[in-house]
Amino acid sequence: MKREKVYKILTWVFMVLTFIGAFYVLVNDGTVNAGYAVVPSLFSVIFSGLCLREKNHK
């Protein structure tokens, strides 16, 4: 239960960072690196998958 909760929190944190990064890229008219949005979204997907795996493991 504890790991699942940590994974959920990390998923939400990286999801918020993804939207902040996407907003930053859009504000700068796409002249900055899109990695500001892509990298946090990758971590969000990873932690989401870990959360689902932990949930199904029970």
Side-chain angles (χ1 to χ4, degrees), residues 4-45:
E4 182 182 349
K5 192 176 234 182
V6 171
Y7 292 151
K8 279 184 184 181
I9 291 169
L10 287 172
T11 299
W12 281 101
V13 167
F14 283 110
M15 196 178 303
V16 169
L17 287 174
T18 299
F19 286 113
I20 291 171
F23 180 73
Y24 180 70
V25 171
L26 291 174
V27 165
N28 289 305
D29 296 324
T31 58
V32 295
N33 193 349
Y36 288 114
V38 174
V39 173
S41 68
L42 175 66
F43 283 110
S44 179
V45 168

Side-chain angles (χ1 to χ4, degrees), residues 4 7-8 11 47-56:
E4 182 182 349
Y7 292 151
K8 279 184 184 181
T11 299
F47 285 117
S48 175
L50 287 172
C51 182
L52 288 173
R53 190 178 85 182
E54 192 70 27
K55 187 182 241 182
N56 290 335

